[in-house]
Amino acid sequence: MTKIAITDDHPLLLEGLRNILSQEEGFEVVGCYPDATKMEAGLANTAIDVLLLDINLPDANSIELVKPLRSKYPATQIIIISVHNEYAVINSVLEQGARGYMQKNASVEEIISGVNRVLDGDIFLCSQTKLVVDKKTKDELRTVPKLTRREKEVLTEAASGLTTAQIAEKLFISPHTVESHRKNLIEKFGTKNLSSAIKLATEYGLIIQ
């Protein structure tokens, strides 16, 4: 019997996936979790074959969860479920060890196929996601940028509308240091200005506005 867990903070989707997978012969849904904290507590007590993991959780960004989860539970295959379909996000989670990427509006057939494919040792991408990967252009970000704690703080404060001077005062750093972080952020996201970097960071779930 294949043991499956699902982590998603939307109750309707969580229940829908549970119903779909529970009806499939040979599948058993042994855990449904609304956030990363409850998921990690559940995984510590139950062996899981496949974990369906929402990319954005209220208490974590799953891009940063995949690698430690794979390290701690190497026998658990992770399929990301998401409303995002950007190449950088897809590639990032695959590089971190996810075995699949599935849009939340994927068909029932694709959901079942995805679970079976990763159990067979394959990488699974739903049809919509595969199109994005196939059409990737050389100008697109290859992965989601890795930000330092301070860069995240500067980005978050800038997103809230604070000026360089206000950010410096709030974070107890010099305006010059803030400007250096702003420059680094623009370079990391490959954008022309910080506003565009903020937009991408929000889409990727790196900051919440």
Side-chain angles (χ1 to χ4, degrees):
M1 184 70 72
T2 297
K3 297 186 181 299
I4 301 171
I6 310 164
T7 303
D8 195 289
D9 63 333
H10 294 88
L12 286 177
L13 182 65
L14 198 63
E15 184 64 17
L17 285 171
R18 188 188 69 80
N19 288 336
I20 289 169
L21 295 168
S22 295
Q23 292 174 20
E24 187 70 11
E25 186 177 353
F27 288 178
E28 180 185 6
V29 178
V30 296
C32 290
Y33 311 110
D35 55 47
T37 302
K38 290 183 174 62
M39 174 191 72
E40 290 179 5
L43 294 181
N45 296 315
T46 308
I48 301 296
D49 297 304
V50 178
L51 170 65
L52 272 65
L53 178 62
D54 187 7
I55 192 77
N56 292 129
L57 297 171
D59 56 348
N61 183 312
S62 293
I63 296 173
E64 298 170 351
L65 287 179
V66 173
K67 190 171 183 178
L69 284 173
R70 287 288 293 153
S71 177
K72 192 171 184 179
Y73 307 104
T76 300
Q77 308 304 316
I78 299 173
I79 298 176
I80 295 296
I81 50 176
S82 177
V83 294
H84 299 295
N85 216 17
E86 297 89 3
Y87 178 83
V89 176
I90 299 164
N91 195 45
S92 289
V93 293
L94 294 178
E95 284 194 351
Q96 294 299 309
R99 302 297 295 175
Y101 197 98
M102 189 183 303
Q103 289 293 294
K104 289 189 176 183
N105 62 353
S107 67
V108 172
E109 292 76 15
E110 280 196 304
I111 294 169
I112 300 301
S113 175
V115 174
N116 283 320
R117 288 276 298 280
V118 300
L119 286 170
D120 288 338
D122 297 331
I123 298 289
F124 176 79
L125 303 178
C126 73
S127 57
Q128 296 175 66
T129 298
K130 192 173 186 305
L131 283 174
V132 171
V133 172
D134 290 344
K135 292 181 179 179
K136 191 261 181 186
T137 67
K138 65 178 182 179
D139 296 327
E140 288 182 86
L141 282 176
R142 194 176 71 84
T143 57
V144 173
K146 292 182 179 179
L147 307 183
T148 65
R149 177 183 60 83
R150 185 63 85 188
E151 285 172 343
K152 284 185 179 180
E153 290 174 344
V154 169
L155 199 59
T156 299
E157 299 303 339
S160 70
L162 296 189
T163 64
T164 293
Q166 290 171 326
I167 294 171
E169 182 178 1
K170 184 170 183 177
L171 300 181
F172 303 103
I173 56 179
S174 71
H176 176 73
T177 300
V178 175
E179 284 299 329
S180 294
H181 285 310
R182 290 170 69 103
K183 181 180 177 182
N184 289 339
L185 287 163
I186 290 170
E187 290 179 355
K188 283 188 175 184
F189 282 97
T191 57
K192 294 181 179 180
N193 52 56
L194 194 64
S195 296
S196 296
I198 290 170
K199 182 175 183 295
L200 285 177
T202 304
E203 289 176 358
Y204 297 160
L206 298 178
I207 58 173
I208 300 173
Q209 290 183 271

